[in-house]
Structure formats: structure tokens, C-alpha cells
Amino acid sequence: MSATGATADPLAALGSLPGVPESVESVRKAVDRVYGHRIMRRRSNEITSEAALRGARGTAALSGADWALEEVRRRTDFSGDDEARAMGAALRLTAEAGQLLSIWRQSPLRVLARLHLVAAAGKEEQVGRPRQEGEPVDEPLVELPLPSAAEVHGRLEGLSEVIIAGGSAPALVTAAVVHGELLALRPFTSHNGLVARTAERIVLVGSGLDPKSVCPAEVGHAELGRTAYLAALDGYVSGTPEGVAAWIAHCGRAIELGARESTAVCEALQRGAA
């Protein structure tokens, strides 16, 4: 795992990288603002549903389906072209994520396999399992060198062990590392970006940072744009402290933007109720 070291709690040290404590604190304040909004006390289910829809739109945009939010609301058939299928996969993953929270800490690899199965929605032999040596990967957004199947297996096992062991690392750090590892490894033959961003969401919700899932980081990742996303990922893959810290900060900013989005939804609902 990139830059995680070999300590009993390998993610803990990342929390003290330059700039990371500030990102952690900024994220916490942004999340607290949403949860402190008076609309959240009465209509949190509506905020959660809206955040799920906007999060699905955001993650699909990064996978090539940059649709207007109203188009996502309107459509019922997602079986047409590649963009429609990407949007359908994003919506299915968003719905599935909440069902997997209790399994994640005990069996993260099982959850990742399930996420790929849901995203791919197919019965091909390579769906729902890590890729084997020589199998191609359809992930046009990420053009980094592809790790071997053996390296994928080893790093997935290491990531799984860290998650199961728990630790003292802030939720932002854990979520960013899970996200970064899955994008760097591209362990499946397809839909790796969608799976990685869904796994990030699962960590943020399951950690207790965003228990109602109202701060969709996917919204922020889309708003920050593909260029910034890939530049930050390059930093993570470099394994340098500066690069890893920049990736964590990027993920933190995405969460803050997701929180801002839901705050705006709260404000809109409040104006409508006035």
C-alpha cells in the first residue's frame, strides 16, 4: 500500500502528514454544519435521498456520463449506450452501498466483489472477482501503468487487513487510501472508478463521520474535475509523503463540496417550508 509503512496501524501516520490534520478538521466542520442544520432534524431522509442521487450523478460524470441532474431524475431506462449504462451502474451502486455497511469491517474484499457485480450487472466469468493475469481492464479515465494480478492480490489483502484491524486514523485518511488504492490497482476488469468512489462513501458512512450519508464526496470530485482528480491520484501513486498528503487533501475538499451541496438542499427545503 502506497506510503502506508509497516506499523501495526499503517494509516495512523498519514494523519500527521503536512496539511492532513487541517484537512481533517476542515472536513469535520463542514460535516457538522450540515448535521447542525435545523432541516436535518426534521427531514433528514429527504436530504439523504437527494445526496444519493447527486452522488450517483457525480461519480457517473467522472466515468464519462456527465448528465444534468434533472435528466437523471427523468430517465428510467439505463440500458442504452455506454453513458446510460454508466449512469445505471452508479445508481445501483449508490443504492447498494447502504446494504453493505455491516459487512465492510469484517470482509471488505467480499464487499468490493459485490460492488463490482452490481456495477457490471452481467454474468460474465470475470465479474465479481479480481482480474487474472492477462485480462484487459476497461478504465479509460485512469491511464497509469496497470499493476500485475499478483500485485493486485497482495495489495488488496493488505488493504483488507488494515480495514479489519481498524485503527486510529481519521475517517478521511482511511477513505482516501481505500479510494486511491482501488484506482491505482484497478482490481476488476471494468467499473473500477465507480467501485472506488462507492467504497470511499462506505468508509465515510461506516466510520460515523457521515452516518446519514448526506455529504456525497462524489459531488465534490466531479466539481473539482477530472484533471485535478487525476493529478491528485498521480500524487498518491507516487508514494511520496507530499503526493499522498495532496491526495488526502483533494478527497477532503471533495467531501466539503458534497457537504456544501447538501447544505444548499437544506436551505432550499427551508425556504420552501417558510
Side-chain angles (χ1 to χ4, degrees), residues 30-47:
V31 173
D32 285 348
R33 279 194 292 272
V34 179
Y35 279 83
H37 199 287
R38 69 176 187 172
I39 288 292
M40 278 292 294
R41 293 193 290 271
R42 296 185 286 114
R43 302 175 69 175
S44 64
N45 288 342
E46 292 176 65
I47 307 302

Side-chain angles (χ1 to χ4, degrees), residues 23-33 208-210 256:
S23 292
V24 169
E25 180 62 21
S26 184
V27 165
R28 168 54 66 187
K29 288 180 179 178
V31 173
D32 285 348
R33 279 194 292 272
L209 176 64
D210 181 21
E256 291 177 45

Side-chain angles (χ1 to χ4, degrees), residues 60-66 140-141 221-232:
L62 284 175
S63 288
D66 193 1
L141 175 65
H221 287 303
E223 184 172 337
L224 291 168
R226 288 189 183 191
T227 300
Y229 187 66
L230 294 177

Side-chain angles (χ1 to χ4, degrees), residues 29-255:
K29 288 180 179 178
V31 173
D32 285 348
R33 279 194 292 272
V34 179
Y35 279 83
H37 199 287
R38 69 176 187 172
I39 288 292
M40 278 292 294
R41 293 193 290 271
R42 296 185 286 114
R43 302 175 69 175
S44 64
N45 288 342
E46 292 176 65
I47 307 302
T48 295
S49 295
E50 188 64 21
L53 186 69
R54 293 177 185 229
R57 194 216 71 83
T59 191
L62 284 175
S63 288
D66 193 1
W67 291 10
L69 186 61
E70 291 311 312
E71 176 68 7
V72 182
R73 293 190 204 279
R74 183 187 68 80
R75 287 284 285 267
T76 57
D77 181 8
F78 297 95
S79 62
D81 58 16
D82 288 345
E83 286 194 11
R85 286 191 289 273
M87 184 61 70
L91 290 166
R92 290 193 300 274
L93 285 171
T94 299
E96 186 75 9
Q99 311 302 314
L100 299 172
L101 293 170
S102 62
I103 306 171
W104 174 254
R105 285 294 297 271
Q106 286 73 44
S107 186
L109 298 186
R110 179 182 163 196
V111 168
L112 293 175
R114 174 63 184 169
L115 291 176
H116 185 243
L117 186 66
V118 168
K123 297 181 180 179
E124 296 83 359
E125 188 270 337
Q126 66 266 39
V127 169
R129 61 152 175 81
R131 58 185 168 84
Q132 298 174 0
E133 205 63 58
E135 289 183 331
V137 173
D138 180 14
E139 197 66 48
L141 175 65
V142 181
E143 298 179 351
L144 294 167
L146 194 66
S148 68
E151 182 179 352
V152 168
H153 176 78
R155 285 172 64 174
L156 281 179
E157 288 291 338
L159 183 64
S160 176
E161 290 170 4
V162 168
I163 293 166
I164 292 169
S168 60
L172 166 61
V173 171
T174 303
V177 168
V178 167
H179 186 170
E181 281 291 289
L182 293 175
L183 279 181
L185 294 176
R186 281 145 291 160
F188 303 107
T189 56
S190 64
H191 299 89
N192 290 286
L194 292 173
V195 169
R197 291 184 289 275
T198 305
E200 179 185 50
R201 171 187 286 267
I202 288 173
V203 173
L204 295 171
V205 175
S207 68
L209 176 64
D210 181 21
K212 294 183 182 294
S213 195
V214 295
C215 302
E218 305 96 323
V219 167
H221 287 303
E223 184 172 337
L224 291 168
R226 288 189 183 191
T227 300
Y229 187 66
L230 294 177
L233 177 62
D234 283 344
Y236 178 81
V237 172
S238 75
T240 65
E242 297 80 9
V244 174
W247 169 251
I248 294 170
H250 183 87
C251 291
R253 181 60 180 151
I255 298 167

